[in-house]
Each structure stands twice: as structure tokens, then as C-alpha cells.
Amino acid sequence: MLHTELTEQLGIRFPIVGAPMAGVAHGRLARAVTEGGGLGMIGVGSTDGIDLIGREAVVASDQGRLPFGIGLMAWALERRPELLEMAIAAKPALVSVSFGSTAAYVQPLRDAGIVVVAQVQDLPSATAAAEAGVDYVVAQGTEAGGHTGKVGTLPLLQLLLDGFDLPVLAAGGIATPRGVAAVLAAGAAGAWVGTCLLASPEAASRPEARAVVLAATETDTVLTRVFDIAQGIPWPEGFAGRALRNRFSDTWEHREAELAVDEAAAALLAAAKTDGDYDAAFIYAGQAVGSLHQERGAAEVITELGEATEAWLLKRLAELSRVRTTQ
Ligand SMILES: Cc1cc2nc3c(=O)[nH]c(=O)nc-3n(C[C@H](O)[C@H](O)[C@H](O)COP(=O)(O)O)c2cc1C
């Protein structure tokens, strides 16, 4: 069995968290991940309606039967503090507050008995989260889908495992049993996976988007601000989003200042989002997208990932420790 601080604390079968993904990981996906043996999370975007959290929490928890998590963005909470109140009221087992300072939010969450987590992208953000008193930090590497930093998962994970007493989860580029095994063997308390769930029908994305995801390879992503700029979403400096490259990103990459004042480009992106035209509309996805080959239910993805990781770790450790009898 794969026991870590995370499985013990949350009472889950596998040390695997289904990442919060705004617009994609709502109640249905979160519930399927938890039913598969992990912890499913609801992603809350900066512009999501106030009623989304309560509504999706009912689905994620299956009316209060299952544990689940909620992922918030620190910079969005500064503008919309009511999102924190809604999250606490929804009674999640775990809340992540990422992309900005977590300090103001740890105590209210703790007081409500909620496990507090921050995704971090470098040593300064990890230090700030540790000082704020979070229960876990998530080393989020640049391979990750969605908004992230510039340091790779392995360099960041090693720094955090060596540098902090806190349990560390690993995110970014983990999509197969070998990946989960690698981070657990390194000392992580669990894997935080998003991209490997993008081809699951429980995701809140459109079927057309899932087809584009399945056709993409590991070299098809770009870390870009163009989609945020064209939508006027005020992400703080230092965070770009890893998305599938498309005609819109190819056109505007390195022309960000021009894009910021181009109303036609903003209108084109808005229309493409409505129409599901993924030549222009964005699909956030990480480099692990190359490991997705078929549409599969999220519970099955997580159960297979957990079971195969256990089998793989045992087999590999036996291989590595076998005494060589022949030279
Ligand atoms: C489509 C998508 C949306 C995301 N939205 C959020 C979000 O709302 N909040 C958040 O904290 N992280 C978000 N992330 C980042 C994930 O929490 C996580 O770090 C990432 O998916 C892990 O790397 P992987 O995609 O390689 O598995 C998102 C990722 C994706 C792919």
C-alpha cells in the first residue's frame, strides 16, 4: 500500500490529488477522482460566479458523502474575498491557495478544520508559504498545464524536499505510474495531477476540446500570457499559462504590448471561446499531454495510476536491489 502523510490525513486510498482546474475540474470530475481513490478538487477561476463553489461542492461530495478539495487563486482572493467564505462554507477537506501570498488565508481555513495547501513555483514562494503555516506545499513545475512558473518539476521538488520540514507534493508532468513512482521515491507525499484528466468525459470541457487534447503531443504546448492579455485577466507578473499552441498563440506570442490594445483580437478570442474554435480558443494543458491516448473515465485513470504505481515501485525496487550473480 502507498501510505503517506496525505493518505493518512485525508483517509484516501492513493497519494494522488486531482488538481483544481478552473473551467475543467468541477464537481463531476472531482467526484470521479475521489471515487477512483484520490482526492478530487474543484478549480475556481478568477471570474467564476459566486454560486459555483456551493453548487459544485454538492456534486463533488456526493451530498456530503465524499471528501474533496477546492483550489483558489491568492491574487483573485485579494479582489474577491467572498470566494474564501464560500469555500469554507462548502466544507472541503482541503483548500489550496496558490499564485500569490497565502498568509491572510491560512488561519481562517485552519480554524474551520481544513487542510491548507499552496502550489509554489520557486524557493521564495515556498518559503513564504511555509512561513504562512500551510500544511503542504506543492512543487509545481513549469511542465504543468495551466498557470505556472519557470522551474522544472524535478529541480523544484529536490530543492523543497531538501529545504523544508513540510510534506511536499509534486505537480507538473506526472501522468503515468512511472511519474508517480518517481516523485514518491524521491520523498514526495503525493502527486498532484491535472493534464492526465483532460481526456476524461467528467471534465467540464467540450468534447471537441478533449479531441484536440488527444491529438496533441509533448511538444505542442507553450507557456504564454497571450490568452490572459486578450481577455483582460490581470494575472500577476511571473505567471504565464501553459496551453496547447494554436494559431492565436503563434500570431501573438512576443507581440504582447500590441495585443493588449487590439480590440479585434480580443473579440476574435471571445467568439472562438463561444464557438469552440480551438484554432484561437485556448486549451490549457501540460507537457504530459503526450501521454494521453484515449478518452477514459477519471475514476479509472486514478485507480489504474495508483495500482500500477504500487506494482511498479515494488517491481523496480526488487530489480534494483537484486544481487548480481553474473558479471
Ligand atoms: C486546464 C487547467 C486549469 C488549471 N486551473 C488551475 C486553477 O484554477 N487553480 C490552480 O491552482 N491550478 C490550476 N491549474 C494547475 C494545476 O493545479 C496543476 O498544477 C497542474 O495541472 C499539474 O501539472 P500537470 O497538468 O502536468 O498534471 C490548472 C491546470 C490545467 C491543466
Side-chain angles (χ1 to χ4, degrees), residues 19-22 24 43-44 71-73 96 98-99 119 140 143-147 171-174 192-196 198 284-286 288:
M21 297 187 279
V24 174
V44 182
L72 303 170
M73 301 174 185
S96 65
S98 308
F99 314 122
Q119 295 199 74
Q140 189 204 30
E143 300 94 317
H147 287 77
I174 303 166
W192 178 282
V193 300
T195 293
C196 74
L198 293 181
Y284 285 111

Side-chain angles (χ1 to χ4, degrees), residues 2 4 15-16 139 143 153-158 161 168-193 305-306 308-317 320:
L2 301 172
T4 69
I16 301 174
E143 300 94 317
T153 302
L154 265 186
L156 186 60
L157 181 64
Q158 292 167 89
L161 286 169
V168 180
L169 306 177
I174 303 166
T176 72
R178 291 177 198 270
V180 181
V183 299
L184 292 179
W192 178 282
V193 300
L305 198 53
T309 296
E310 199 176 326
W312 170 255
L313 268 174
L314 290 174
K315 174 175 171 285
R316 188 70 185 128
L317 283 176
L320 290 170

Side-chain angles (χ1 to χ4, degrees), residues 225-246:
R225 296 176 62 91
V226 298
F227 298 114
D228 295 327
I229 291 170
Q231 293 179 96
I233 299 181
W235 268 88
E237 280 295 319
F239 296 111
R242 185 170 297 284
L244 297 182
R245 271 185 55 202
N246 63 10

Side-chain angles (χ1 to χ4, degrees), residues 48-180:
D48 278 332
I50 190 73
D51 53 338
L52 177 128
I53 296 178
R55 189 180 66 230
E56 298 302 325
V58 172
V59 180
S61 70
D62 194 17
Q63 319 273 354
R65 188 176 64 88
L66 298 171
F68 69 100
I70 296 176
L72 303 170
M73 301 174 185
W75 67 268
L77 285 180
E78 282 168 27
R79 292 151 198 257
R80 302 179 63 199
E82 66 275 14
L83 291 176
L84 186 77
E85 289 159 33
M86 300 298 285
I88 291 173
K91 301 195 185 312
L94 178 152
V95 164
S96 65
V97 183
S98 308
F99 314 122
S101 173
T102 312
Y105 314 113
V106 173
Q107 202 54 49
L109 289 164
R110 272 278 175 72
D111 289 347
I114 297 167
V115 175
V116 190
V117 176
Q119 295 199 74
V120 299
Q121 296 76 25
D122 49 31
L123 212 43
S125 56
T127 305
E131 285 173 2
V134 301
D135 297 298
Y136 296 80
V137 285
V138 183
Q140 189 204 30
T142 191
E143 300 94 317
H147 287 77
T148 185
K150 296 200 173 102
V151 183
T153 302
L154 265 186
L156 186 60
L157 181 64
Q158 292 167 89
L159 272 178
L160 301 195
L161 286 169
D162 283 338
F164 295 89
D165 280 338
L166 281 177
V168 180
L169 306 177
I174 303 166
T176 72
R178 291 177 198 270
V180 181

